[in-house]
């Protein structure tokens, strides 16, 4: 089988469109939100949910085309699901430390 049947192509296409929309909304949130802490949420959530949809779509396509379950894409997804929130947490902690250092410097100057 070299072509994807229509009954499978439609949900896969919808998953990919949904992934694009979620990622776009996350990117717009990065532009629209006011401070750093708020900006960190939108792209992290958008990337995680968008990646989930893409991984689900690629798993479905690969499994249908090879007539057997293909799940190694989930290793990539797992890596993304773990690293995106951890990166966001580390960036948030860095921003908090920087903010506290500025406040301490301002208090010392007064």
């Amino acid at each position: 089988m070299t072509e994807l049947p229509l009954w499978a192509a439609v949900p896969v296409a919808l998953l990919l469109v949904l992934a694009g929309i979620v990622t776009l909304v996350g990117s717009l949130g990065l532009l629209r939100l006011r401070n750093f802490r708020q900006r960190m949420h939108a792209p992290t959530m958008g990337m995680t949910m968008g990646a989930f949809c893409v991984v689900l779509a690629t798993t479905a396509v690969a499994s249908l085309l090879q007539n057997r379950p293909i799940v190694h894409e989930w290793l990539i997804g797992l890596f993304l699901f773990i690293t995106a929130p951890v990166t966001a947490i580390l960036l948030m902690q860095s921003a908090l430390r920087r903010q506290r250092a500025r406040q301490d410097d301002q208090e010392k100057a007064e």
Side-chain angles (χ1 to χ4, degrees), residues 1 4 12 52 54-77:
M1 180 196 282
L4 201 59
V12 166
F52 175 76
V54 169
V55 168
L56 189 60
T58 58
T59 301
V61 169
S63 296
L64 287 169
L65 290 179
Q66 299 217 0
N67 293 326
R68 62 186 175 96
I70 306 290
V71 294
H72 61 271
E73 288 93 354
W74 285 101
L75 293 174
I76 299 167

Side-chain angles (χ1 to χ4, degrees), residues 6-105:
L6 182 63
W7 62 267
V10 171
V12 166
L14 290 175
L15 278 170
L16 293 175
V17 168
L18 179 64
I21 290 170
V22 167
T23 304
L24 178 65
V25 169
S27 299
L28 291 175
L30 180 65
L31 294 174
R32 303 273 308 175
L33 295 173
R34 296 173 193 223
N35 63 30
F36 181 76
R37 287 185 212 105
Q38 290 175 342
R39 284 186 193 139
M40 286 306 301
H41 266 297
T44 302
M45 293 302 294
M47 194 283 302
T48 304
M49 291 170 48
F52 175 76
C53 291
V54 169
V55 168
L56 189 60
T58 58
T59 301
V61 169
S63 296
L64 287 169
L65 290 179
Q66 299 217 0
N67 293 326
R68 62 186 175 96
I70 306 290
V71 294
H72 61 271
E73 288 93 354
W74 285 101
L75 293 174
I76 299 167
L78 180 66
F79 178 72
L80 289 173
F81 299 146
I82 290 171
T83 57
V86 169
T87 303
I89 289 169
L90 291 174
L91 286 170
M92 293 286 272
Q93 287 176 349
S94 170
L96 283 173
R97 286 188 182 136
R98 193 172 191 180
Q99 182 181 8
R100 287 182 191 141
R102 275 194 210 136
Q103 288 173 350
D104 290 344
D105 289 343

